[in-house]
Amino acid sequence: MSELAKLTVAEARDALRAGDVTSVDLTEACLGAIETAGALNAFVHKTPEIALEQARAADARIAAGDAPALCGIPMGIKDLFCTKGVPSQAASRILEGFTPEYESTVTSQLFEAGAVMLGKLNMDEFAMGSSNETSCYGNAVNPWRRGNDTAALTPGGSSGGSAAAVAADLCLAATGTDTGGSIRQPAAFAGITGIKPTYGRCSRWGIVAFASSLDQAGPMTKDVRDAAIVLQAMCGHDPKDSTSADLPVPDFEALLTGDIRGKVIGIPREYRMDGMNDEIAALWDTGARMLAEAGAKITDISLPHTKYALPAYYVIAPAEASSNLARYDGVRYGHRAALSRGEGINDMYEKTRAEGFGAEVQRRVMVGTYVLSAGFYDAYYNRARKVRTLIKRDFEEAFAAGVDAILTPATPSAAFGLGEMQEADPVQMYLNDVFTVTVNLAGLPGVSVPAGLDRQGLPLGLQLIGRPWEEGDLLNTAYALERAAGFSQKPAQWW
Ligand code: GLN
C-alpha cells in the first residue's frame, strides 16, 4: 500500500487514467504514511475526511472521462495558504483558532484541477526562517540523516514541512511559498525539486502575506516533470490580486524536451563567495559541465550588486512584514490575550502581540518599523529599494546579452543540525538565503534541482534562474540538468 505514496504525480496521473489505481487507494496510502511519520512533524493539521471525500469525487470524475492533470493526486498544503473551514495558522500562535471562510486562489485552482488535500504542512512562523525552528508547532524534521548519525537535521525553511513531506513520500507533491528562498532552500536540503515562478505568476490572494512585493507560491515535487504539472495548475491570472499577471499560461510539461542545445548558461562570478564550501563549489562546476555536455554554451557573467542583496532583502522584507502583520491585533483574527481589570485597548494589542508572535517575528516587526520610521526611511528603506533596482538591472543586462539561464548553488551548505544555530547571531541564519534572495528582489523565476550527495550522504541542490515569464524554458533546462545529474536517492526510512 505505502508503495503508492512513492509515485510521482505523473506516474500516479497515468495510473489513474489507465484505471490501474484509484484516488482512494492513493489517498489511503498517503494517510497511512502520514500516520507513521509523526516523528517528522510535517503535517500539523490533518484532513483525512476532506481527503477521502475529494478522492471519491476524483474517482467519479475519472470514471466519467473528465480527468484534469491533478485529478485524484494527494497533496500537502503549506499552512500559509488559507483553506476554507480548515485551520490556517501560518505556524503562529497569533492565528490559533483561525479557520478561514474562504479558499486561497492557488488552492482553489488545485482543487478545481482535482487535487486532494491531505492536510496542512509545517513551516516557519509567518514564513520567517530557514530551518523551520520558528514554528509554533515545533520544527519539522528532515528525513535525511548524516550517514548513520542519528542527529536530527533541519528540512530547511520556511517550507520545511512541505520539503520533509515530499521527500519522505507522505504526499505526492506540496505547495510552498518563497519570499527569499523558502521553496528552493528546503527543496535543496531535502533532495527534491522546487520552483519559485516569476513574481505575479501565481495569485497571492488568500496566502497569508509576509513581504508582498517578494512573496510567490510554487510547487515542491519529486522531480521536474511534476513541478511543471503542478505549477501549471497553480498559476494564472486572478483579478483578486492586482499584482497577478494577465498572461497566458503555457503547457509547461509539453515544453520538457530536454533539448538545451545552443542555450546560453551564465555562471555569475560574484556567487563564488570567499570560503565557499568545497563540495558545493565542485558540484556547481559539475553542473556547468553537465549542461555543456548537453549542448549548452557556458559563459562567465557578472552580477556586480550581488553582495548588497542580503542586506537589502533584510530591510525590505521586514519593512513589508511590519506593515502586513499590523492586522494581527487580537480583534480580527485568532488569539486574544486575557486582560486584567482596568487594562485598556492598548494593553490588549500589546499583550496579544507579545504572546502571539514568536521571537523571530517580533525581531522582524521591530526592524521593519525602525527602517520605515521618519528619519530612517531614506537611509534604510529607500536605499534598499535603490539597491533592489540595481540588482534587477544586473539580471536584465545579463539576459539582454543573450544569457538564457543562470546556474548557481541553491544553498551555501547541506542541511544543518536542528538547534545548531540556536546560539548563533541571527545573521548566520540569514546567510542561508545568500544565493536565493537576489531572485526574489528581481522578481525572476528560480528552480532548485537536487544534483548530488555530499560526503556525509546529504543532498545538495543547484539553482537555475530564468528570464521573467520563461518558466517553461527554465523547467526544460532544469529537466536537462536533472537527467544529467541522475539524482534518484531517497532517505533511508528511520521514522
Ligand atoms: N529565510 C528567509 C527569511 O527568513 C526567506 C523566507 C521565505 O522565503 N519565506 O526571510
Side-chain angles (χ1 to χ4, degrees):
M1 231 359 210
S2 69
E3 290 303 304
L4 289 179
K6 297 190 173 135
L7 295 178
T8 63
V9 171
E11 287 165 349
R13 171 194 62 187
D14 297 346
L16 283 162
R17 287 180 180 169
D20 294 339
V21 66
T22 67
S23 177
V24 169
D25 291 339
L26 281 168
T27 303
E28 282 175 346
C30 290
L31 292 171
I34 292 167
E35 275 321 302
T36 58
L40 298 178
N41 198 23
F43 277 88
V44 289
H45 297 288
K46 299 174 200 166
T47 54
E49 293 86 12
I50 295 176
L52 286 167
E53 195 186 306
Q54 288 175 326
R56 281 189 288 269
D59 283 333
R61 244 173 120 172
I62 295 165
D66 163 34
L70 292 181
C71 198
I73 303 294
M75 288 184 61
I77 304 296
K78 186 177 181 178
D79 200 34
L80 204 63
F81 291 78
C82 286
T83 42
K84 191 175 177 183
V86 175
S88 304
Q89 245 181 276
S92 182
R93 277 201 62 202
I94 210 156
L95 281 173
E96 214 161 68
F98 173 58
T99 303
E101 292 297 323
Y102 43 85
E103 190 70 49
S104 82
T105 297
V106 163
T107 45
S108 48
Q109 287 182 195
L110 288 171
F111 299 150
E112 274 159 35
V116 167
M117 175 171 73
L118 297 162
K120 303 299 284 287
L121 290 163
N122 208 347
M123 54 178 282
D124 280 293
E125 184 178 5
F126 284 107
M128 298 173 190
S130 300
S131 64
N132 219 141
E133 288 167 293
T134 69
S135 168
C136 74
Y137 311 112
N139 58 269
V141 178
N142 197 326
W144 290 86
R145 286 175 161 180
R146 297 180 181 122
N148 295 324
D149 185 344
T150 58
L153 304 181
T154 175
S158 66
S159 311
S162 306
V166 173
D169 293 317
L170 310 185
C171 54
L172 273 54
T175 61
T177 63
D178 191 314
T179 303
S182 280
I183 288 177
R184 292 160 287 155
Q185 184 255 24
F189 278 12
I192 64 166
T193 300
I195 179 168
K196 180 201 90 73
T198 313
Y199 182 79
R201 244 319 173 202
C202 289
S203 169
R204 291 180 295 107
W205 195 83
I207 301 174
V208 174
F210 165 9
S212 308
S213 77
L214 301 161
D215 298 343
Q216 263 297 289
M220 301 180 66
T221 55
K222 297 181 191 183
D223 63 17
V224 173
R225 178 174 302 280
D226 284 7
I229 297 168
V230 181
L231 178 63
Q232 174 99 33
M234 290 173 73
C235 59
H237 180 238
D238 176 13
K240 288 191 284 199
D241 171 3
S242 61
T243 61
S244 131
D246 195 358
L247 289 174
V249 180
D251 182 344
F252 295 127
E253 190 185 8
L255 295 169
L256 301 180
T257 59
D259 183 0
I260 57 162
R261 284 173 298 173
K263 293 277 175 203
V264 179
I265 309 292
I267 309 290
R269 70 176 71 102
E270 291 79 6
Y271 283 59
R272 204 166 290 273
M273 313 263 170
D274 283 344
M276 188 171 191
N277 173 318
D278 61 329
E279 290 185 271
I280 304 252
L283 183 78
W284 190 13
D285 294 340
T286 307
R289 205 193 62 233
M290 289 188 293
L291 292 174
E293 280 164 8
K297 183 173 171 295
I298 307 298
T299 175
D300 283 328
I301 62 166
S302 174
L303 299 169
H305 296 92
T306 300
K307 65 170 179 287
Y308 304 115
L310 210 52
Y313 171 85
Y314 277 98
V315 170
I316 293 169
E320 294 187 20
S322 70
S323 162
N324 274 324
L325 271 55
R327 72 190 66 168
Y328 305 106
D329 54 7
V331 179
R332 286 170 282 187
Y333 309 88
H335 179 74
R336 175 182 302 169
L339 297 184
S340 317
R341 189 178 283 275
E343 286 185 312
I345 187 133
N346 283 328
D347 302 297
M348 198 269 285
Y349 294 153
E350 282 173 20
K351 278 183 136 180
T352 298
R353 288 167 68 82
E355 287 174 12
F357 290 143
E360 182 61 25
V361 174
Q362 293 190 16
R363 179 181 294 126
R364 306 257 183 140
V365 169
M366 284 190 279
V367 169
T369 312
Y370 179 78
V371 300
L372 289 175
S373 59
F376 295 106
Y377 188 92
D378 275 330
Y380 294 105
Y381 184 66
N382 265 343
R383 182 159 311 176
R385 286 177 41 198
K386 287 180 187 158
V387 169
R388 181 179 191 172
T389 303
L390 295 174
I391 289 167
K392 189 160 181 270
R393 194 173 301 158
D394 285 352
F395 283 107
E396 283 164 359
E397 283 169 5
F399 293 132
V403 168
D404 292 297
I406 296 167
L407 180 74
T408 78
T411 57
S413 72
F416 51 90
L418 284 159
E420 228 166 62
M421 299 274 229
Q422 219 119 61
E423 301 304 317
D425 182 296
V427 174
Q428 284 305 111
M429 191 67 98
Y430 299 167
L431 285 171
N432 265 284
D433 308 320
V434 67
F435 299 128
T436 48
V437 292
T438 51
V439 178
N440 302 74
L441 289 168
L444 300 172
V447 59
S448 174
V449 181
L453 294 180
D454 73 359
R455 282 179 209 109
Q456 297 182 302
L458 295 179
L460 296 174
L462 287 173
Q463 172 177 239
L464 283 160
I465 305 167
R467 296 167 178 262
W469 315 113
E470 295 289 343
E471 290 86 357
D473 194 53
L474 179 66
L475 284 164
N476 186 44
T477 306
Y479 182 59
L481 181 62
E482 173 185 66
R483 290 218 291 205
F487 183 91
S488 59
Q489 290 91 334
K490 291 265 189 179
Q493 190 169 347
W494 52 265
W495 57 92

